[in-house]
Amino acid sequence: MYIGVDIGGTNIKVGIVSKLGRLVNSISFKTRAPRGVEDVVDEIYDNILLLLKKENLEIKNIKGVGIGVPGTVSPNGSTVKAPNMGWQGVDFSSAFKKKLDIKFKLDNDANCAARAEVKYGGGRDYKNVVFITLGTGIGSGIFVDGKMLMGNGNAGGECGHMVIVKDGIQCNCGNKGCWEKYASASALTRFTEEAAKNNPQSKLNDIIAKYNRVSAKTAFDAAKLNDEVAKKLTSEYVENVYTGLVNLMQIFHPEAFIIGGGVSNEGKGLIQPLQQKMDSFIISNNLYPTVAIKKAVLGNEAGMIGAACLVMD
Amino acid sequence: MYIGVDIGGTNIKVGIVSKLGRLVNSISFKTRAPRGVEDVVDEIYDNILLLLKKENLEIKNIKGVGIGVPGTVSPNGSTVKAPNMGWQGVDFSSAFKKKLDIKFKLDNDANCAARAEVKYGGGRDYKNVVFITLGTGIGSGIFVDGKMLMGNGNAGGECGHMVIVKDGIQCNCGNKGCWEKYASASALTRFTEEAAKNNPQSKLNDIIAKYNRVSAKTAFDAAKLNDEVAKKLTSEYVENVYTGLVNLMQIFHPEAFIIGGGVSNEGKGLIQPLQQKMDSFIISNNLYPTVAIKKAVLGNEAGMIGAACLVMD
């Protein structure tokens, strides 16, 4: 058995993961960021013990602990920069090892989710696969011949910051027109807000009123009610997602793309038009083989399972 | 010794390459495309013999023959699609082996140039490096941990077809706004023609008149004469090249970019502003380490040397 820990912005999840990548049981507690690393490690440790007890297991039954952090891990694997946690290069590894002397590894949380999806989820049939999460931003994990592409200094894999609209919408990174400003869940939410305001008669407003909030789901829901404004919105959004996927297809020509994050819950409404566009482009350009586009399947468990993957083998 | 053959649109070059990647001697003849594959193989074979004779060598001194073709090679390495040669899936490998039974390998010509530049040229100090040629289009060769990224079905590495301007200039591939429509040598030539026409007082016109042609060099030459229109042109062009490099930096974070193709002959005038922009972006985003941007150094020899690399090891 392995322990996988997923440190998220809101919750920290601790899970027991089997060697086949199945989540046996899990527990979660509030992140309460910003917060000192020792404090976080203490609470993770206590919850590991609690969780093991629930399953009638002991530390000696655990082969290792992997942890996904919401930030960047130094190439030597010990220090962590995670602005939202208030961590500017903290030595997480030493803090953890002081508490528990066991096989231990850290990685970025999005990388962990990608590892899980590619090893045990939607990507399990492929060696060359690109995992994309459409969330607050756009996260990515790229696998070439089964190995995750990390980049020099672990700084690669930032597909969300590809510029797809030169001189487009300003991004926090300093550039303009990054993919995530057009194709993340947040981007769709922002476009939906604007469209609702500019089109008072659109059913977008009914749905926003009903749930008392606007989300990435709003436009897809209104499109299902045949609302023209919403249909245009979702079709433009799919086109935005597609543009980034085409770029990655031209560069990697993977066997498959796996799409995760909140928006991927739209399922066929998102995946089918993407697959159709991609197929027709590849066929018309004689760029065979085609590239499968699939929905991620592990959901919120991916972070824990992927963190556990870090200490397997 | 090895033989490297570079089949180009205008000339076919045959070279003897040492095990250290040095071009010992070479010979070239007209491509005369479109043309049957047996005919091309015959002339390559005759020229190999001629070249060996010049160097007092015999076939038995040669360990293998590598050939770069202007098209795509099937994953099994034998058939070639090269529209400009009139080859729609010809079995080049069998045709060659009928003539000469020796270790033999084919690859795309741009891949060959990339292999040479990365192994023996501007990229020789790096394992993670992206080679870009700014020519008629934009070619690329991506190396991850020293291994060339081929993509499923050898269909990857088409960085020139990243979309950087959604809904931008129409590209032959069917998409709009591909990088090569903005940052190839052809793109700069096209922008220069337009600018010269729209600005009759610009020194661009003097230089076009002097050489009786417009090229990717025209704008850089006029910019050196302090022509404002040309300075704007070259600065926008550098920005176009930079946008694609930033995308590849975000994805791969390589140790270095190596820039080849005709425009790279501008040297510092191109490389320095690219390096400054890249450095300042990486530093302001804490995306260390920085990424070196270097000029390719093997020029026209890269194709032959890289083809020979195919049969080394």
Side-chain angles (χ1 to χ4, degrees), chain A residues 14 64 68-69 77 81-82 125 156 160 162 177 198 216 221 241 269 284 299 301 309:
Chain A
V14 178
V69 295
K81 260 192 278 187
D125 299 329
M162 273 191 297
N198 296 334
D221 286 351
V241 175
S284 70
E301 298 185 354
C309 286

Side-chain angles (χ1 to χ4, degrees), chain A residues 70-244:
Chain A
T72 51
V73 177
S74 61
N76 70 6
S78 67
T79 62
V80 175
K81 260 192 278 187
N84 294 337
M85 297 298 294
W87 300 346
Q88 291 297 341
V90 301
D91 189 348
F92 193 109
S93 195
S94 297
F96 190 86
K97 281 176 182 168
K98 263 185 226 162
K99 239 12 225 192
L100 190 57
D101 188 20
I102 195 171
K103 186 173 179 185
F104 173 75
K105 237 173 176 177
L106 289 171
D107 197 0
N108 167 267
D109 52 356
N111 286 354
C112 288
R115 283 178 204 282
E117 274 298 341
V118 167
K119 197 164 177 189
Y120 298 111
R124 66 185 172 279
D125 299 329
Y126 310 105
K127 286 273 178 205
N128 292 288
V129 46
V130 177
F131 173 64
I132 297 292
T133 44
L134 307 172
T136 311
I138 294 186
S140 61
I142 300 157
F143 293 78
V144 176
D145 294 332
K147 211 183 143 201
M148 192 165 195
L149 193 156
M150 301 301 289
N152 197 16
N154 287 353
E158 291 290 341
C159 299
H161 289 286
M162 273 191 297
V163 172
I164 64 161
V165 184
K166 197 168 172 298
D167 303 319
I169 301 172
Q170 181 69 50
C171 181
N172 294 336
C173 77
N175 279 333
K176 287 178 177 173
C178 292
W179 189 26
E180 67 176 40
K181 298 310 281 185
Y182 295 84
S184 63
S186 313
L188 179 54
T189 305
R190 190 167 26 82
F191 294 140
T192 304
E193 273 172 335
E194 285 165 18
K197 218 173 275 173
N198 296 334
N199 299 277
Q201 84 298 350
S202 156
K203 284 176 184 152
L204 288 171
N205 292 292
D206 305 344
I207 293 170
I208 294 171
K210 184 176 165 193
Y211 295 103
N212 199 24
R213 62 188 284 262
V214 55
S215 75
K217 209 171 167 294
T218 310
F220 281 99
D221 286 351
K224 277 170 210 150
L225 300 175
N226 227 8
D227 180 77
E228 289 304 324
V229 176
K231 277 158 71 180
K232 187 160 172 281
L233 255 184
T234 54
S235 127
E236 283 171 357
Y237 174 75
V238 166
E239 189 65 36
N240 292 346
V241 175
Y242 172 70
T243 299

Side-chain angles (χ1 to χ4, degrees), chain B:
Chain B
M1 294 292 175
Y2 304 86
I3 298 286
V5 181
D6 182 9
I7 304 183
T10 313
N11 294 302
I12 296 178
K13 288 173 274 186
V14 178
I16 299 176
V17 178
S18 78
K19 66 177 176 182
L20 296 174
R22 204 172 57 81
L23 187 68
V24 176
N25 199 353
S26 70
I27 198 168
S28 108
F29 56 93
K30 293 279 170 224
T31 306
R32 308 198 312 273
R35 194 174 168 198
V37 66
E38 279 83 8
D39 201 29
V40 170
V41 164
D42 281 352
E43 199 166 353
I44 288 173
Y45 178 71
D46 293 344
N47 277 276
I48 289 175
L49 296 187
L50 197 63
L51 186 62
L52 289 176
K53 206 174 168 189
K54 279 192 187 184
E55 292 293 315
N56 289 318
L57 292 168
E58 295 176 48
I59 287 286
K60 68 175 183 200
N61 302 118
I62 297 301
K63 289 192 178 150
V65 177
I67 301 193
V69 294
T72 51
V73 177
S74 61
N76 70 7
S78 67
T79 62
V80 175
K81 261 192 278 187
N84 295 336
M85 298 297 295
W87 299 347
Q88 291 296 341
V90 300
D91 189 348
F92 193 109
S93 195
S94 297
F96 189 87
K97 281 177 180 167
K98 263 185 227 164
K99 246 358 233 192
L100 189 58
D101 189 19
I102 195 170
K103 186 172 180 186
F104 172 76
K105 239 174 175 176
L106 288 171
D107 198 359
N108 168 268
D109 53 355
N111 286 354
C112 288
R115 282 178 204 281
E117 275 297 342
V118 167
K119 197 163 176 190
Y120 298 113
R124 66 186 173 277
D125 298 329
Y126 309 106
K127 286 272 176 206
N128 292 287
V129 47
V130 177
F131 173 64
I132 297 291
T133 45
L134 308 172
T136 311
I138 294 186
S140 60
I142 299 157
F143 293 79
V144 176
D145 294 333
K147 212 184 141 199
M148 192 164 195
L149 194 156
M150 301 302 288
N152 197 16
N154 288 354
E158 292 289 342
C159 299
H161 290 286
M162 275 191 296
V163 173
I164 64 160
V165 184
K166 196 167 174 299
D167 303 320
I169 301 172
Q170 181 69 50
C171 182
N172 294 336
C173 76
N175 278 333
K176 287 178 176 173
C178 291
W179 190 25
E180 65 177 40
K181 298 310 280 184
Y182 294 85
S184 63
S186 314
L188 178 54
T189 304
R190 191 166 27 78
F191 293 142
T192 303
E193 274 172 335
E194 285 166 19
K197 218 173 275 174
N198 295 334
N199 299 278
Q201 84 299 351
S202 158
K203 286 176 183 151
L204 288 171
N205 292 291
D206 305 344
I207 292 171
I208 294 171
K210 183 176 164 191
Y211 295 103
N212 201 22
R213 62 189 282 261
V214 53
S215 76
K217 212 171 165 293
T218 310
F220 280 99
D221 286 351
K224 278 170 208 150
L225 301 176
N226 226 8
D227 181 78
E228 290 303 325
V229 175
K231 277 158 72 179
K232 187 159 173 277
L233 256 185
T234 53
S235 127
E236 282 170 358
Y237 174 74
V238 166
E239 189 64 36
N240 292 345
V241 175
Y242 173 70
T243 299
L245 291 186
V246 159
N247 288 4
L248 296 170
M249 183 277 290
Q250 294 283 16
I251 296 168
F252 292 101
H253 210 103
E255 294 161 85
F257 287 108
I258 312 298
I259 314 290
V263 190
S264 72
N265 292 326
E266 290 305 324
K268 279 187 182 172
L270 176 73
I271 303 294
Q272 240 172 28
L274 288 173
Q275 183 77 68
Q276 276 162 4
K277 280 169 193 283
M278 186 66 78
D279 284 353
S280 104
F281 182 77
I282 288 177
I283 290 165
S284 71
N285 275 275
N286 276 309
L287 280 175
Y288 295 99
T290 53
V291 180
I293 301 179
K294 301 204 157 192
K295 185 182 169 316
V297 296
L298 297 178
N300 290 330
E301 299 184 354
M304 286 179 280
I305 297 172
C309 286
L310 295 172
V311 287
M312 291 183 185
D313 76 31

Side-chain angles (χ1 to χ4, degrees), chain A residues 229-306:
Chain A
V229 176
K231 277 158 71 180
K232 187 160 172 281
L233 255 184
T234 54
S235 127
E236 283 171 357
Y237 174 75
V238 166
E239 189 65 36
N240 292 346
V241 175
Y242 172 70
T243 299
L245 292 186
V246 159
N247 288 3
L248 296 171
M249 183 276 289
Q250 294 283 15
I251 295 169
F252 292 101
H253 210 105
E255 294 160 87
F257 287 108
I258 313 299
I259 313 290
V263 190
S264 72
N265 293 326
E266 290 305 324
K268 279 189 184 173
L270 175 73
I271 303 294
Q272 241 171 26
L274 288 174
Q275 184 77 67
Q276 277 161 2
K277 280 169 193 283
M278 186 65 78
D279 284 352
S280 104
F281 181 78
I282 288 177
I283 290 165
S284 70
N285 276 276
N286 276 308
L287 280 174
Y288 294 99
T290 54
V291 180
I293 301 179
K294 301 204 157 191
K295 186 182 168 318
V297 297
L298 297 178
N300 291 330
E301 298 185 354
M304 285 180 282
I305 296 172

